[in-house]
Amino acid sequence: MEKRIKAVTGGTTVIVITSLVILLIALITVLIAYSADKGLKGLIMPIMVDAGLIGLCIYSYLSVTTGYVIDNGNIRICRRKGDMIITGSNLTSVTPVSRNSLGNTIRVGANGGLFGFFGNVYSANLGKI
């Protein structure tokens, strides 16, 4: 029997605020370069910074977990860039994690809000998540 679970996302407020911050950073980098009177040569670095921000947003959008499917003892993690399957023999435990328990965590290459939650997260209480 197959069971589908929808993933938790950061919500509309998180997406709107993050998008506004990214746009503000992009605008500030372009204005600083333009005010330095370096002409087009002064815009190279801001364009690279802005391209990096856009690339990060695209990577985050593609990496986000959209849902889970539990079937025959396996867990399929559904993502936009491709599903990941964890076979039942590789599972040691599965425990639901509340949003409050993720407050004091160390995130290494992890995303905590924009388009959802994913990546390597360590918590003193929960260990590696």
Side-chain angles (χ1 to χ4, degrees):
M1 184 171 122
E2 183 177 285
K3 181 178 180 182
R4 294 183 175 271
I5 304 167
K6 186 178 178 192
V8 176
T9 62
T12 306
T13 305
V14 172
I15 293 172
V16 169
I17 290 173
T18 305
S19 300
L20 289 174
V21 168
I22 290 170
L23 288 173
L24 182 63
I25 291 171
L27 179 64
I28 289 170
T29 57
V30 170
L31 288 175
I32 289 172
Y34 189 75
S35 66
D37 291 330
K38 294 183 181 178
L40 290 177
K41 288 184 180 181
L43 290 177
I44 292 173
M45 186 57 87
I47 289 172
M48 290 174 56
V49 169
D50 295 344
L53 288 171
I54 292 169
L56 181 63
C57 289
I58 291 171
Y59 175 78
S60 296
Y61 179 77
L62 294 176
S63 297
V64 69
T65 300
T66 57
Y68 305 90
V69 177
I70 302 171
D71 189 23
N72 295 328
N74 300 324
I75 298 176
R76 182 171 40 141
I77 302 170
C78 305
R79 297 181 299 178
R80 289 184 177 98
K81 71 176 184 178
D83 295 351
M84 184 171 103
I85 297 175
I86 301 172
T87 60
S89 61
N90 290 333
L91 293 174
T92 55
S93 68
V94 177
T95 307
V97 178
S98 70
R99 190 180 292 242
N100 293 337
S101 64
L102 295 176
N104 296 320
T105 57
I106 298 172
R107 298 175 185 172
V108 180
N111 188 6
L114 178 64
F115 305 122
F117 301 89
F118 62 89
N120 297 318
V121 178
Y122 177 81
S123 168
N125 297 334
L126 303 171
K128 185 179 177 190
I129 303 173

